[in-house]
Amino acid sequence: MEILTLPALLKKNALRFGDKKIALREKEFGIWQSVTWKEYFDHIKYLALGLLELGYEPGGKLAVIGDNRPEWLYSELAIQCLGGAVVGIYPDSHLEQVQYIIDHSDSIFIMVEDQEQTDKILDIKDNIPKVKKVIVDDMKGMRSYDEPILIPFKKVQESGREIDRKEPKLFDSYLEKLGQDDVAMVLYTSGTTGLPKGAMLTHKNMFKMIENFDRVDPAYETDNHVSFLPLPWIGEQATAVAWNLYKGVTINFAEKVETVSHDIREIGPNLLLAPPRYWEAMCSDIQVRIQDAVWIKRFIYKLFMPVGYRTAEMRLKGEKPGTFWFLLDRICYLLLFRSLKNYLGLTRLRNVYTGGAPLGPEIFNFFMALGINIKQVYGQTETSGVSVLHPGDKIKLNTVGLPIPDVEIKISDQGEILIKGPTVFKGYYKSEEETKKTIIDGWVHTGDEGIKDEDGQLIMIDRQKDVMHLADGSKFSPQLIENKLKFSLYILDAMVVGKDRPFIGAMIIMDMANMGKWAENNKLTYTTYTDLSQKPEVYDVIAKEIAVINKSLPKVARVKRFVMLYKELDADDDELTRTRKLRRSVVGERYSALLDALYGDKEELDVEADIRYRDGTGFRMKTSVMIKEVETAG
């Protein structure tokens, strides 16, 4: 009989690998701690039985809030083993968001990582009456806490171990009752257009997604993956949970967010999923380091990178490099590309993906020149993650590939991408009306605009609501232009506008680290982010960057005027989602005066804004913002 539940895969691997193979690794205090498959299974079994002791009820939900670590997976699989569902919460979510998700999902248990997350829950405990217990993993600093609702993670496992001694067949009886159509997780969407919605994904949804994904791009039990993206995101659920269980891939948890790059270098993963922001930052880091390198290294980089770009272009066209280019590429690899890949920890990479938002072709070309073939995957939470990707090495930069097996893709008469197959979610939790709007005759209406090319590959254009027209009717995709702009070393984020306007304008958010480095090298003094962002010299640098980028864009899509924002966009200010997608409507409304000024005759605008720090303090800021024309925009 086919295994179609995640816990069944867990048990299969525990029986197959036992203590002979590592399932998970976590870095603590600079040392990698290993967990075998048998230990993994036991941790989950004892926690699940402990949850029974705490009053688990059929179909119950367990919310998890914390960073990526083994205890996250133990909690998720423990509740699933009992027939319940996990509810993921981003660890940096607002208190209001945390309260909304816990209450809306009807979670009866919450697993929190440490004192910081515990304090969040205690602040809202009167507003989440359905919660029976808050399970705390790391009790450090909490000796004086005297709250009946709190219970240590290890204590729950100890009670589960005691139950297992008394009733050794109890756990297996729950596994046997588990069905493929039972809800395994409720993942809340990023909520770019309002309150987040809880997408219910079944065991079959996740199993079919990873089974068919693996048929296109197989993983192996000897593979390693570094988990650092938030587990409430479907992409990380696909790799760190589903692939781990389906193929026995070893999952390595980074020590903390700040050490991800170092930890990746230590592990040298075979599989890696990272958002566009990660690849953009990596590309930017290389360029900055090359600028600061000794002259011989700069010379080698400038000499050999064009060779990498040329051979990458041949591979994209399906051409086999001749003897001359093959030998030249090998020399470049030995003298440059190998050391760069080794520095980045990407030497062993085989399956490399990006998702969550489009990645600009310039970034793809850069990494392909190094011999790293990043694949842009396409899918949604509502389709269990990956629905479309490039088969094998057949990568086309302007497409996201072909549907995975058993998944159908079609384009509606309105140009909307529709998806059908066994990966389609069960619906939104407690929102039948929204479910009916999204799933029509078995097809998920994605809200994305796309087309198919001559090979049947999907080209994702943009969110339908974000595709815009200029005053003359010319159509353009803001996201495409923004991705081009973010390839610049000095641009962290951008928001493009132009709906019903005579030309395209942009609000630019500078990359403080790289722009600050430039200012230092050019002896330009400044005090704060705001001060540096409004320097005429900085505007000149950005204007030149945009002028270069404009040359790669159709004439209608070129940026004519821009303004530098005086602060970075922040998820805590609701300007970005937790997966760092732009909340276009929020940003457009909040900075409407700045954006409108792009189409006026002023060259400078006085603004006032409330700046709030993470500790809750803030001040009223007054500054002047320049508006600058890009002379070569055409």
Side-chain angles (χ1 to χ4, degrees):
M1 183 180 174
E2 191 176 15
I3 297 173
L4 288 176
T5 69
L6 301 179
L9 290 172
L10 169 72
K11 184 176 180 181
K12 176 188 173 185
N13 289 335
L15 293 172
R16 180 185 174 197
F17 298 123
D19 285 323
K20 295 181 292 184
K21 186 179 183 304
I22 294 170
L24 312 171
R25 284 194 199 92
E26 180 187 20
K27 196 174 186 184
E28 287 187 306
F29 309 112
I31 299 171
W32 289 100
Q33 311 288 342
S34 299
V35 178
T36 67
W37 277 98
K38 183 180 182 304
E39 291 169 334
Y40 189 14
F41 181 80
D42 287 343
H43 273 294
I44 291 162
K45 177 171 70 171
Y46 298 142
L47 181 60
L49 294 174
L51 293 176
L52 287 177
E53 183 75 7
L54 291 180
Y56 169 81
E57 298 169 358
K61 316 287 192 311
L62 180 147
V64 186
I65 179 167
D67 293 326
N68 297 22
R69 52 193 314 189
E71 287 75 14
W72 219 109
L73 268 59
Y74 300 160
S75 303
E76 173 170 343
L77 283 156
I79 196 73
Q80 289 171 352
C81 286
L82 299 176
V86 67
V87 178
I89 302 175
Y90 290 93
D92 56 353
S93 296
H94 281 310
L95 207 57
E96 294 82 4
Q97 293 171 331
V98 174
Q99 179 182 313
Y100 173 79
I101 292 173
I102 291 171
D103 186 61
H104 182 268
S105 66
D106 300 317
S107 294
I108 57 172
F109 302 123
I110 308 172
M111 201 289 279
V112 297
E113 180 183 349
D114 52 19
Q115 184 180 16
E116 178 188 355
Q117 305 298 348
T118 301
D119 289 342
K120 280 185 186 178
I121 302 304
L122 292 179
D123 283 344
I124 60 172
K125 68 182 176 71
D126 293 337
N127 299 321
I128 46 174
K130 302 163 198 167
V131 174
K132 295 181 178 181
K133 284 291 179 182
V134 178
I135 304 162
V136 186
D137 177 25
D138 185 356
M139 297 291 294
K140 191 183 299 178
M142 298 174 61
R143 183 175 295 178
S144 61
Y145 282 50
D146 185 22
E147 291 281 351
I149 199 171
L150 302 181
I151 185 169
F153 186 91
K154 289 181 179 175
K155 188 173 180 180
V156 180
Q157 285 190 316
E158 285 169 9
S159 66
R161 190 177 285 108
E162 184 62 33
I163 292 171
D164 189 53
R165 278 196 288 267
K166 295 176 181 176
E167 300 181 70
K169 295 182 180 179
L170 180 60
F171 183 69
D172 281 341
S173 71
Y174 274 90
L175 290 187
E176 289 166 6
K177 287 186 287 187
L178 197 56
Q180 64 181 39
D181 294 321
D182 290 342
V183 175
M185 56 192 73
V186 181
L187 300 184
Y188 279 77
T189 59
S190 53
T192 53
T193 57
L195 286 172
K197 300 186 289 287
M200 297 183 289
L201 298 173
T202 66
H203 291 277
K204 182 180 179 180
N205 288 154
M206 294 303 293
F207 179 90
K208 284 297 183 182
M209 180 276 300
I210 201 62
E211 178 188 48
N212 291 317
F213 183 16
D214 191 77
R215 286 168 64 184
V216 179
D217 256 15
Y220 304 93
E221 62 185 54
T222 52
D223 285 343
N224 277 278
H225 167 67
V226 177
S227 174
F228 64 95
L229 301 177
L231 278 160
W233 181 50
I234 186 60
E236 195 62 21
Q237 284 288 328
T239 48
V241 180
W243 231 349
N244 164 257
L245 296 171
Y246 183 70
K247 272 297 182 71
V249 172
T250 299
I251 305 301
N252 302 272
F253 294 99
E255 188 164 18
K256 48 189 175 182
V257 174
E258 296 77 13
T259 66
V260 167
S261 297
H262 181 266
D263 295 337
I264 286 176
R265 283 197 291 272
E266 284 191 355
I267 292 296
N270 311 95
L271 319 172
L272 191 63
L273 169 68
R277 176 75 63 195
Y278 182 82
W279 301 112
E280 291 160 2
M282 192 180 283
C283 181
S284 176
D285 178 51
I286 292 172
Q287 293 179 60
V288 169
R289 288 181 180 275
I290 289 298
Q291 285 182 0
D292 293 338
V294 295
W295 73 269
I296 186 66
K297 289 185 178 179
R298 292 200 303 272
F299 174 75
I300 290 172
Y301 181 84
K302 289 179 181 178
L303 181 66
F304 289 151
M305 277 306 293
V307 176
Y309 280 118
R310 180 71 184 97
T311 54
E313 184 183 355
M314 291 180 190
R315 291 198 300 273
L316 280 172
K317 291 179 179 178
E319 300 173 1
K320 191 173 182 180
T323 304
F324 171 76
W325 283 105
F326 175 79
L327 291 174
L328 195 56
D329 188 53
R330 289 293 87 196
I331 292 169
C332 293
Y333 174 78
L334 292 171
L335 295 179
L336 177 65
F337 303 151
R338 181 173 61 177
S339 58
L340 275 177
K341 289 172 73 174
N342 188 54
Y343 165 72
L344 298 169
L346 309 181
T347 305
R348 298 193 191 105
L349 268 188
R350 184 187 65 255
N351 297 24
V352 199
Y353 310 101
T354 187
L359 182 65
E362 291 82 4
I363 305 291
F364 275 113
N365 283 323
F366 176 81
F367 282 101
M368 190 166 274
L370 300 183
I372 300 166
N373 297 338
I374 302 175
K375 293 186 179 184
Q376 175 87 50
V377 297
Y378 173 77
Q380 296 184 322
T381 305
E382 290 83 350
T383 58
S384 309
V386 181
S387 299
V388 181
L389 82 156
H390 292 104
D393 294 327
K394 298 174 183 176
I395 297 173
K396 295 177 74 173
L397 288 191
N398 65 326
T399 79
V400 290
L402 295 166
I404 62 174
D406 292 343
V407 170
E408 296 177 64
I409 300 283
K410 73 177 181 180
I411 309 298
S412 73
D413 294 339
Q414 292 73 39
E416 184 179 12
I417 300 170
L418 308 181
I419 302 177
K420 190 176 188 179
T423 60
V424 169
F425 77 134
K426 197 167 187 174
Y428 294 116
Y429 188 63
K430 295 198 303 191
S431 187
E432 191 174 340
E433 186 178 334
E434 286 296 329
T435 301
K436 287 179 179 178
K437 289 180 185 176
T438 303
I439 306 176
I440 302 174
D441 295 328
W443 293 92
V444 168
H445 287 240
T446 65
D448 293 331
E449 183 157 328
I451 57 174
K452 289 185 180 181
D453 71 1
E454 64 280 2
D455 298 322
Q457 296 209 18
L458 180 66
I459 300 172
M460 194 283 207
I461 297 171
D462 208 333
R463 294 292 292 170
Q464 277 198 312
K465 61 184 176 61
D466 292 338
V467 175
M468 299 179 185
H469 296 81
L470 291 174
D472 63 3
S474 301
K475 196 174 183 179
F476 70 96
S477 166
Q479 201 171 65
L480 183 146
I481 304 168
E482 289 159 3
N483 288 334
K484 290 266 188 183
L485 293 170
K486 287 189 285 186
F487 183 70
S488 166
L489 191 65
Y490 304 112
I491 298 176
L492 180 67
D493 270 310
M495 178 168 166
V496 165
V497 292
K499 183 179 180 182
D500 300 327
R501 301 283 195 169
F503 60 83
I504 290 173
M507 184 170 69
I508 303 296
I509 296 87
M510 71 178 183
D511 187 309
M512 181 62 180
N514 294 336
M515 203 75 247
K517 184 74 175 175
W518 179 90
E520 181 185 329
N521 292 341
N522 288 272
K523 298 180 172 57
L524 179 66
T525 58
Y526 65 92
T527 54
T528 62
Y529 182 102
T530 302
D531 180 38
L532 180 60
S533 70
Q534 301 309 313
K535 296 282 188 187
E537 296 89 343
V538 169
Y539 268 81
D540 289 340
V541 169
I542 298 298
K544 289 176 184 176
E545 292 286 304
I546 295 175
V548 171
I549 292 162
N550 273 343
K551 292 177 183 178
S552 67
L553 288 165
K555 192 171 182 179
V556 68
R558 293 176 182 173
V559 176
K560 188 173 181 181
R561 299 189 86 194
F562 73 95
V563 61
M564 299 288 293
L565 189 59
Y566 44 80
K567 65 178 280 293
E568 288 188 9
L569 297 179
D570 198 328
D572 285 341
D573 293 331
D574 292 326
E575 295 163 343
L576 302 171
T577 68
R578 292 295 158 185
T579 52
R580 296 202 62 82
K581 293 177 187 173
L582 184 69
R583 291 185 187 269
R584 201 173 295 277
S585 58
V586 173
V587 174
E589 183 179 341
R590 185 165 295 169
Y591 303 106
S592 58
L594 276 181
L595 298 172
D596 288 341
L598 289 168
Y599 300 95
D601 54 8
K602 291 183 178 179
E603 294 184 356
E604 198 169 286
L605 182 71
D606 293 329
V607 297
E608 293 186 17
D610 291 316
I611 302 297
R612 189 163 297 281
Y613 298 113
R614 292 188 185 277
D615 62 2
T617 60
F619 70 98
R620 185 80 174 168
M621 182 202 70
K622 296 181 180 181
T623 189
S624 291
V625 176
M626 295 170 57
I627 296 100
K628 189 172 179 68
E629 190 120 358
V630 184
E631 294 179 6
T632 57

